[in-house]
């Protein structure tokens, strides 16, 4: 049976999608992909964001192998790409489900057939809860789990679900905050217990586990993250011993794991004590799918465990030199509308010569700033660059790279475009 994401290949190419060849207007995305055009010579305009086919596949396989090796379930955070096609590939590579953070994301997931959603946030919007109640009632195979971190949140959820006539309870996990001054989550064990007791007092919610996000541990180090994870596991054990989890559960959920500390999460979960029922140890890292050339390249746990492999940055933003006003300065036509810049500026990596098509290292080129539609480049004495050349840039932060592009070419190493990834932000 065709997957819902396969419908995306029937979408028509038009002005909505940046960088696609003007002469492809009216073709379907699938037809354009089948033509296997070259990114550089077959009509694509600049700037254009490309996703490496080989590196994407490598990253998908690596996390599949990592989670299997460490006996973890995996619900990668879909906010990174918001791409149903990539969700399907993640599921094909062993993912248990997909993580969401806001109602819009969950709605996109359901339209494209995602059957298991972990909602890493407290959901108190009555309209969203009414929609959720309808989804759960209509599909008995749909599994949805979300955070609760306050007694008031439990009250609001219960009120909205009762008003919606919910026929199935919503599965919830108590969120432990990462510390004082951190982000969301109940701050103390006593606070977590109070939230669990509030859940037990209503019929619209079912307590199935505990969760949190270790990436918000203040001044995080491996030891501090380990201490926080041990607290999370201890809360699960205490809740289990006290009979606070729903009596009809097949498994108890313990979930954590962003993109910076999942090695420590795996280590602590491997040592977790046995509970009265099997434990679903659920990792949620999302940035791995494309990785990057900046923030996550520095933070990835694979730097600490190189024997387990290495993620590969899969994005490259290509832009064209449109001005070379001085020997120390150049400008390309990619700016804030096109490139991630919230954590780090892009990094000039390679130059494709406009005269010969030769690709060389971007020696002497430094991106110093971004305007809305221009990248500012400082050019050193050894910079070989002229108007018309293409500059390939590495980006930092996948989440704010994907969200600037609705349709992203997937490109093989020789420049052949073999697919397109549709995003929904």
């Amino acid at each position: 049976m065709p997957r819902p994401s396969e419908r995306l290949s029937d979408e028509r190419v038009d002005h909505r999608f940046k960088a696609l060849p003007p002469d492809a207007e009216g073709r379907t995305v699938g037809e354009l992909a089948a033509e296997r055009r070259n990114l550089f010579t077959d009509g694509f305009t600049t700037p254009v964001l490309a996703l490496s086919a080989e590196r994407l596949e490598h990253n998908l396989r690596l996390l599949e192998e990592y989670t299997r090796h460490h006996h973890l379930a995996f619900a990668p955070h879909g906010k990174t790409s918001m791409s149903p096609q990539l969700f399907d590939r993640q599921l094909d590579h062993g993912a248990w489900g997909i993580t969401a953070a806001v109602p819009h994301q969950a709605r996109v997931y359901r339209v494209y057939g995602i059957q298991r959603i972990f909602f890493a946030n407290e959901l108190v919007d009555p309209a969203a809860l009414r929609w959720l109640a309808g989804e759960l009632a209509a599909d008995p195979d749909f599994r949805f789990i979300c955070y609760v971190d306050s007694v008031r949140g439990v009250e609001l959820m219960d009120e909205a679900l009762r008003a919606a006539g919910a026929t199935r309870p919503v599965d919830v996990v108590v969120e432990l905050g990462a510390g004082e001054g951190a982000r969301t989550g109940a701050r103390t064990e006593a606070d977590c217990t109070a939230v669990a007791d509030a859940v037990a007092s209503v019929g619209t919610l079912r307590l199935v586990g505990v969760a949190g996000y270790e990436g918000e541990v203040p001044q995080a180090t491996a030891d501090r993250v380990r201490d926080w994870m041990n607290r999370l596991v201890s809360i699960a054990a205490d809740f289990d011993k006290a009979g606070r989890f729903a009596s009809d559960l097949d498994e108890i959920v313990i979930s954590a794991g962003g993109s910076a500390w999942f090695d420590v999460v795996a280590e602590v979960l491997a040592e977790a004590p046995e509970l009265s029922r099997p434990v679903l140890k659920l990792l949620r890292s999302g940035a791995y799918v494309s990785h990057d050339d900046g923030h996550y390249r520095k933070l990835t746990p694979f730097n600490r465990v190189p024997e387990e492999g290495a993620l590969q940055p899969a994005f490259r933003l290509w832009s064209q030199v449109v001005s070379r006003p001085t020997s120390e300065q150049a400008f390309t036509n990619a700016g804030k509308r096109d490139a991630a810049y919230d954590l780090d500026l892009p990094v000039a990596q390679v130059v494709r010569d406009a005269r010969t098509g030769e690709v060389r290292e971007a020696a002497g080129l430094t991106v110093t700033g971004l305007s809305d539609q221009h990248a500012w480049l400082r050019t050193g004495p050894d910079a070989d660059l002229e108007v018309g050349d293409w500059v390939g840039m590495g980006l930092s932060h996948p989440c704010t790279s994907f969200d600037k592009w609705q349709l992203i070419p997937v490109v093989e190493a020789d420049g052949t475009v073999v697919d397109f990834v549709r995003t929904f932000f």
Side-chain angles (χ1 to χ4, degrees), residues 246 306 355:
R355 298 179 187 272

Side-chain angles (χ1 to χ4, degrees), residues 80-196:
T80 298
S81 72
M82 285 305 296
S83 169
Q85 293 143 301
L86 293 183
F87 299 161
D88 283 346
R89 291 187 66 177
Q90 289 170 314
L91 293 168
D92 288 343
H93 283 276
W96 171 91
I98 305 293
T99 295
V102 293
H104 158 72
Q105 293 167 359
R107 289 182 63 202
V108 171
Y109 297 4
R110 289 298 289 158
V111 167
Y112 288 96
I114 302 303
Q115 285 293 89
R116 291 173 176 166
I117 296 175
F118 187 93
F119 196 87
N121 220 339
E122 188 166 71
L123 182 60
V124 294
D125 183 325
L129 287 163
R130 184 166 56 249
W131 168 82
L132 174 61
E135 290 292 303
L136 289 168
D139 185 353
D141 295 325
F142 174 39
R143 181 90 192 270
F144 181 92
I145 303 171
C146 78
Y147 282 178
V148 285
D149 80 345
S150 65
V151 172
R152 176 59 176 157
V154 170
E155 293 171 351
L156 289 170
M157 292 184 75
D158 177 57
E159 180 182 321
L161 290 167
R162 283 189 289 105
T167 58
R168 285 175 60 190
V170 172
D171 287 349
V172 296
V173 289
V174 173
E175 182 194 6
L176 172 66
E180 290 303 319
R183 204 163 64 186
T184 56
R187 289 299 191 253
T188 68
E189 281 73 1
D191 292 337
C192 289
T193 299
V195 175

Side-chain angles (χ1 to χ4, degrees), residues 17 37-38 50 52 64 67 96 141 145 162 170 211 226 234 237-238 256 273 287 297 332 357 370 384 393 411 415:
F17 305 123
R37 295 195 186 198
N38 186 278
S52 164
E64 178 184 21
T67 52
W96 171 91
D141 295 325
I145 303 171
R162 283 189 289 105
V170 172
R226 190 175 294 108
S234 293
D238 289 346
R297 178 172 241 174
T332 76
L370 295 175
D384 181 9
M393 300 177 185
V411 184

